[in-house]
Amino acid sequence: RWVLQHILRQFSAVAHKTQQQVDAEQPDTERSQFLSSHLDRLIHQEMKVCSDAACRYPSNYNAWSHRIWVLQHMAKGNIKVFRDELSSVHPWVSMHVSDHSGFHYRQFLLKELLNTELSQSLSSDSASTVFCPSQHQSNTVHSTCPQANGELSLADAACGDKITTVFKLFYQETELCSDLIQSFPGHETLWSH
């Protein structure tokens, strides 16, 4: 973690210089693309190390907590990385149905995705909310509300897309659990998750 924090400080310093160059109209897009791809590669390598450690030793708390730490510090707010991680850990939890560590990690990923999706939908337009605006009853989920002319506003459509994404995540996770519970009855971890 110390080494990764040192590397992140270097990335931050270079990214700050790059941003100053962009602000001064001297863009260095090659350098920023290189840094981005290098950071992606570094995250991928850390995820591989964590996966290898988790496969070698069951319920490896240290491997899973390091994996969470890496995402919190190196991929903060990067929905693509979190989605990729959710997909990549699917086969692992399917083969290790009694190991709570993998499911705890999935819970972390889902919370991060939900928070990111919902915060982006709320910040995209202050008028659009997760719940219907005052013209509708409160506690009703806001999917898409047509304007007076019957068309959807961009904010309503974006909010509806985010809510749909949240429901998809929920549905996919409950389907995974249901399938695993049917295939492996009696495993407490699956019911707890």
Side-chain angles (χ1 to χ4, degrees):
R1 288 181 182 179
W2 180 87
V3 170
L4 291 174
Q5 287 174 335
H6 183 71
I7 291 170
L8 281 174
R9 279 193 294 274
Q10 289 178 335
F11 274 120
S12 295
V14 172
H16 182 69
K17 282 183 185 178
T18 303
Q19 185 59 41
Q20 287 177 341
Q21 290 173 349
V22 168
D23 292 342
E25 295 184 23
Q26 299 172 353
D28 191 359
T29 55
E30 276 186 37
R31 187 176 208 178
S32 63
Q33 288 175 347
F34 172 78
L35 288 175
S36 178
S37 69
H38 188 66
L39 185 60
D40 289 345
R41 217 176 17 241
L42 188 60
I43 292 170
H44 180 72
Q45 289 170 344
E46 283 301 304
M47 296 299 107
K48 174 129 178 49
V49 168
C50 293
S51 292
D52 291 347
C55 287
R56 287 186 191 138
Y57 181 74
S59 300
N60 191 334
Y61 173 79
N62 292 319
W64 292 103
S65 65
H66 179 66
R67 198 169 184 152
I68 289 172
W69 183 91
V70 168
L71 291 180
Q72 287 174 328
H73 291 85
M74 300 178 80
K76 187 179 280 185
N78 189 334
I79 290 178
K80 183 187 180 322
V81 171
F82 282 88
R83 285 184 182 279
D84 290 348
E85 275 298 290
L86 193 63
S87 294
S88 73
V89 80
H90 183 281
W92 194 93
V93 297
S94 297
M95 294 186 309
H96 301 87
V97 294
S98 293
D99 191 340
H100 184 73
S101 301
F103 287 99
H104 177 262
Y105 181 66
R106 283 186 73 81
Q107 292 166 13
F108 161 76
L109 293 171
L110 288 166
K111 286 177 190 174
E112 289 296 316
L113 281 168
L114 292 175
N115 288 337
T116 305
E117 293 282 355
L118 291 176
S119 67
Q120 285 181 358
S121 69
L122 292 175
S123 66
S124 66
D125 187 340
S126 60
S128 70
T129 60
V130 174
F131 298 102
C132 280
S134 59
Q135 70 226 29
H136 300 288
Q137 293 292 333
S138 62
N139 297 334
T140 306
V141 176
H142 173 71
S143 57
T144 52
C145 298
Q147 295 176 347
N149 63 1
E151 295 179 8
L152 297 174
S153 71
L154 289 176
D156 288 337
C159 183
D161 289 345
K162 298 294 182 184
I163 298 301
T164 300
T165 302
V166 169
F167 284 127
K168 276 185 190 175
L169 285 172
F170 173 75
Y171 176 76
Q172 290 169 348
E173 199 64 21
T174 54
E175 189 170 317
L176 168 67
C177 287
S178 297
D179 290 347
L180 291 175
I181 286 169
Q182 288 177 349
S183 299
F184 304 97
H187 287 270
E188 180 183 344
T189 299
L190 298 172
W191 286 99
S192 176
H193 180 63

